[in-house]
Amino acid sequence: MCGIVAYIGPKDATPFLLEGLARLEYRGYDSAGVAVTGRSGGIKLRKVKGRVADLAAAVPARFKGTTGIGHTRWATHGVPSDANAHPHLDNAERIAVVHNGIIENADELRAKLTADGAVFRSETDTEVLAHLIAAHVAEGVELEDAVRAALGRVVGTYGIAVLDAEQPDRIVVARNGSPIVLGIGEKEMFAASDVSALVRYTRQVVHLEDGELATVRADGFRTFTEDARTTHRQPSTVDWEVDSYDTGGYEHFLLKEIHEQPGSVERTLSGRLDERFATAHLGGLNLDARELREIRRVKILGCGSAYYAGEMGAQLIEELARIPAHSEPASEFRYRNPVIEADTLYVAVSQSGETYDTLAAVQEIKRKGGRVLGVVNTVGSAIARECDGGIYLHAGPEVSVASTKAFTSTVVAFALLALHFGRIHDLSPADGRRIVSALQALPDQIREVLEQSESIAELAAEYAESAGMMFIGRVRGFPVAREGAQKLKEISYVHAEAYPASELKHGPLALISPELPTLALVPDDELLDKNLTTLGEIKARSGRVIAVGHRRPEEKLADHFILVPKSEPELDPLLLNIPLQLLAYHAAVALGRDVDKPRNLAKSVTVE
Ligand code: F6R
């Protein structure tokens, strides 16, 4: 997904811009560019199709300026090319613009601008902004007013940063549906689409709201609305560590993040377990016990892995609190004119807190008067701000495109919510204690699974060349199967399908053959016998089976077995998922894939 960086201050902007863009690489992109200006006037521009390293190589030593903007592009309008890469300039080469998001009326604006004499040099929607802003500044309008006027004609979503060669003492940024965060330095200021580009330089940040703009100067900033009303924003402090953005000796961010899970789970739990009352404390819910008792249903919304984590969450809430709970893709929910009920608690799940579909679902619920909690990793993100309350994951920044530690922490957060809910309803103190102890044991149990990384790597190498893989699980195991299949397909590109084990005989059994291996989740719970019967059905069709569970099945039922430490049945899915992350990771490595940046995918999907 596209990334934005900007700098204004006494130093040369280019090193920060290039380093900042490198920090945003994990979001996925196909081209990159920078533009700088300074007191000497004029705009220096370099942009290339390819990597940030290619851009750095193309930037000459004399490419200097104290005010600059940079961009990594993920093609939407027009193919990846040097010409379509951002920044985009107007014809007088006075204005430079970088843009994340989509301008829906770009064709119409382009036609009008062309009729007025503008010559377009790219196929992008963004270029219309450069021409629109230029038309206003050419009439002597201040840059911020020119940007406001241009945005007033635009339909769509944007995060933008704008440079004016004739007003090099400022950069103007704006946000509408695509994040922009300001970074406050010592007599210098930064801006970016993601704090990861800033943390090396400053921890003091300001997140812009949708519909907000800012004029950023070396010595400060001013925020205002699209109708020019000044807004007052207090900076917040980012507590994420700089080394979160380094691979820290691991071959990939993904492997590092898988191995960080004992620590990230500890942080999600930290200060939230109450042994005395065998419950959980969740300070950010903003709902007291009486209000929680009035809730009759829980609806969880998220996209991709966040949706699957929500499925595990729904299962936990139903089991522990006996409240009907259901997870649905936010991307579907928002388009089906959903019925919003007063006694339903809506929960939006998002690692980034910026996924556009999830944000739109939250806005739809709120517009109709519903109550929404957020289960979010990124503090201060759009979804976190939009919700009425929620639970922060504290998993730390997740850099690799595929979600692992945030997924696990989301399920832990749901376990806390389910425990809290359960203890307000009919979950007994003894059952509450059982869950509290099991949650406390999780970090060490995750460590035990991670110790098997090497043997799982051997297994992955053996199966990586398979044409596909079937993932099956029953009830609690089914969301695990879905997330396991998702992880394998997104990073190794091996086709993977998830089915409830109970459904196999209603269709997909026809696919079973020696060529299609099955990964089966067989926890030692009340459904173990049923699961073993399913394994027998697969083996009878010469299917190969990798079983993941707590007790090795008979040799005739499984070709391989991955042992996972036993938790309480409700929490078993969390641990059963960890070896599936390792399996996907090692399969992707065996196939030589770009593990941290899988093709066609982006870390946070801030467009529709
Ligand atoms: C899968 C993955 C995606 C995200 C989805 C939602 O590994 O990372 O499916 O889970 O795009 O992203 P967030 O959680 O940022 O809303």
Side-chain angles (χ1 to χ4, degrees):
M1 197 57 41
C2 304
I4 289 176
V5 290
Y7 173 87
I8 184 161
K11 299 186 201 133
D12 178 16
T14 311
F16 164 77
L17 297 176
L18 292 172
E19 147 113 27
L21 291 179
R23 298 266 150 204
L24 297 179
E25 282 192 298
Y26 75 93
R27 297 166 63 97
Y29 69 106
D30 47 54
S31 47
V34 284
V36 295
T37 190
R39 248 178 271 140
S40 52
I43 289 180
K44 298 188 178 84
L45 174 75
R46 280 291 181 285
K47 44 189 199 165
V48 299
K49 177 183 164 193
R51 317 305 292 175
V52 174
D54 302 322
L55 174 66
V59 167
R62 61 180 186 287
F63 194 92
K64 289 194 192 312
T66 50
T67 308
I69 57 178
H71 192 259
T72 46
R73 173 174 187 254
W74 199 64
T76 54
H77 286 61
V79 294
S81 68
D82 291 358
N84 286 338
H86 302 206
H88 290 286
L89 307 187
D90 67 308
N91 292 142
E93 304 200 346
R94 173 176 171 181
I95 296 294
V97 180
V98 291
H99 165 228
N100 292 351
I102 290 176
I103 296 174
E104 291 164 16
N105 58 340
D107 288 347
E108 182 195 317
L109 291 170
R110 177 187 280 260
K112 281 193 194 129
L113 286 159
T114 306
D116 291 345
V119 178
F120 278 78
R121 287 177 285 202
S122 78
E123 304 159 286
T124 65
D125 52 343
T126 303
E127 196 182 338
V128 300
L129 278 174
H131 295 291
L132 279 174
I133 297 166
H136 291 286
V137 291
E139 289 164 8
V141 174
E142 290 277 307
L143 183 61
E144 36 278 78
D145 294 331
V147 173
R148 280 195 311 105
L151 293 178
R153 295 181 61 186
V154 154
V155 178
T157 56
Y158 47 80
I160 59 167
V162 185
L163 204 71
D164 178 357
E166 291 184 23
Q167 300 179 67
D169 60 340
R170 71 196 73 175
I171 292 169
V172 174
V173 295
R175 166 187 178 133
N176 186 33
S178 200
I180 291 286
V181 54
L182 310 182
I184 303 167
E186 281 286 319
K187 300 196 175 66
E188 58 185 355
M189 286 284 299
F190 310 88
S193 52
D194 183 330
V195 285
S196 59
L198 306 178
V199 284
R200 196 165 280 269
Y201 301 90
T202 179
R203 296 300 179 86
Q204 293 297 104
V205 300
V206 171
H207 294 270
L208 292 195
E209 300 279 354
D210 276 346
E212 207 170 24
L213 297 88
T215 305
V216 184
R217 297 171 189 264
D219 59 358
F221 65 95
R222 184 178 78 85
T223 52
F224 50 99
T225 60
E226 283 167 0
D227 53 5
R229 275 181 298 111
T230 298
T231 53
H232 298 283
R233 309 300 312 281
Q234 288 306 319
S236 57
T237 306
V238 181
D239 59 3
W240 288 359
E241 294 304 320
V242 175
D243 65 9
S244 302
Y245 299 98
D246 293 321
T247 50
Y250 285 94
E251 206 179 324
H252 298 100
F253 279 108
L254 190 68
L255 189 61
K256 178 183 174 224
E257 287 161 7
I258 290 173
H259 279 270
E260 279 173 349
Q261 290 177 110
S264 49
V265 166
E266 261 160 27
R267 285 197 300 278
T268 308
L269 291 173
S270 177
R272 287 169 166 169
L273 287 176
D274 176 343
E275 292 186 36
R276 178 161 171 241
F277 289 106
T279 186
H281 287 302
L282 296 164
L285 291 190
N286 300 331
L287 285 169
D288 63 23
R290 197 180 295 250
E291 289 168 308
L292 279 173
R293 284 191 68 89
E294 280 162 14
I295 286 161
R296 295 280 161 268
R297 199 186 306 277
V298 178
K299 174 70 136 185
I300 302 168
L301 299 157
C303 297
S305 289
Y307 156 54
Y308 299 139
E311 289 198 310
M312 289 195 193
Q315 182 83 33
L316 277 157
I317 291 168
E318 283 210 358
E319 285 205 69
L320 298 181
R322 304 303 298 151
I323 296 172
H326 184 245
S327 178
E328 181 179 340
S331 48
E332 291 281 295
F333 176 87
R334 59 174 289 220
Y335 286 115
R336 66 171 178 80
N337 192 17
V339 176
I340 302 300
E341 297 165 306
D343 55 3
T344 294
L345 178 66
Y346 296 87
V347 185
V349 181
S350 179
Q351 186 288 125
S352 61
E354 301 290 349
T355 299
Y356 192 76
D357 283 323
T358 311
L359 180 62
V362 172
Q363 289 166 341
E364 176 71 357
I365 296 164
K366 290 199 69 184
R367 193 183 61 75
K368 291 181 171 174
R371 192 197 310 254
V372 201
L373 295 183
V375 174
V376 172
N377 195 31
T378 308
V379 175
S381 55
I383 293 170
R385 292 200 311 269
E386 194 78 34
C387 288
D388 300 302
I391 309 174
Y392 276 125
L393 300 180
H394 303 303
E398 198 176 61
V399 173
S400 195
V401 164
S403 184
T404 51
K405 64 175 181 173
F407 178 91
T408 301
S409 281
T410 301
V411 183
V412 171
F414 273 116
L416 290 168
L417 183 63
L419 174 63
H420 180 64
F421 245 133
R423 292 287 294 120
I424 284 169
H425 287 275
D426 297 326
L427 190 74
S428 70
D431 273 330
R433 274 193 291 278
R434 187 171 65 75
I435 299 299
V436 169
S437 310
L439 285 168
Q440 287 165 331
L442 281 176
D444 280 341
Q445 291 180 311
I446 295 173
R447 278 185 197 101
E448 271 181 61
V449 181
L450 297 177
E451 279 163 19
Q452 299 179 58
S453 185
E454 262 178 48
S455 56
I456 294 173
E458 282 167 27
L459 199 59
E462 188 178 331
Y463 283 86
E465 300 287 348
S466 306
M469 192 176 268
M470 185 74 98
F471 285 71
I472 58 167
R474 258 190 174 74
V475 188
R476 296 184 195 108
F478 180 49
V480 185
R482 297 191 86 181
E483 172 59 9
Q486 158 102 335
K487 225 57 340 152
L488 184 68
K489 72 183 111 179
E490 69 182 330
I491 59 172
S492 73
Y493 320 150
V494 172
H495 178 72
E497 218 176 327
Y499 253 92
S502 54
E503 279 287 299
L504 213 58
K505 56 183 173 297
H506 299 295
L509 202 54
L511 290 171
I512 297 298
S513 75
E515 282 71 51
L516 184 74
T518 300
L519 187 138
L521 297 148
V522 287
D524 188 3
D525 62 11
E526 67 281 8
L527 296 171
L528 180 61
D529 287 345
K530 299 256 174 269
N531 282 324
L532 295 179
T533 305
T534 306
L535 298 194
E537 288 165 4
I538 297 168
K539 292 306 296 176
R541 274 93 188 162
S542 307
R544 287 177 298 159
V545 170
I546 303 171
V548 181
H550 308 119
R551 263 199 278 162
R552 182 180 284 277
E554 282 176 69
E555 219 163 280
K556 63 174 193 229
L557 293 182
D559 302 86
H560 307 275
F561 176 63
I562 302 175
L563 177 71
V564 171
K566 182 84 185 81
S567 180
E568 291 299 328
E570 299 90 334
L571 296 174
D572 279 335
L574 256 164
L575 293 168
L576 291 166
N577 180 53
I578 310 286
L580 276 52
Q581 299 174 338
L582 287 168
L583 190 79
Y585 169 77
H586 289 299
V589 171
L591 293 167
R593 306 299 192 222
D594 190 351
V595 177
D596 286 327
K597 292 181 228 101
R599 68 183 181 202
N600 309 337
L601 297 181
K603 182 63 183 161
S604 78
V605 185
T606 51
V607 291
E608 285 193 63

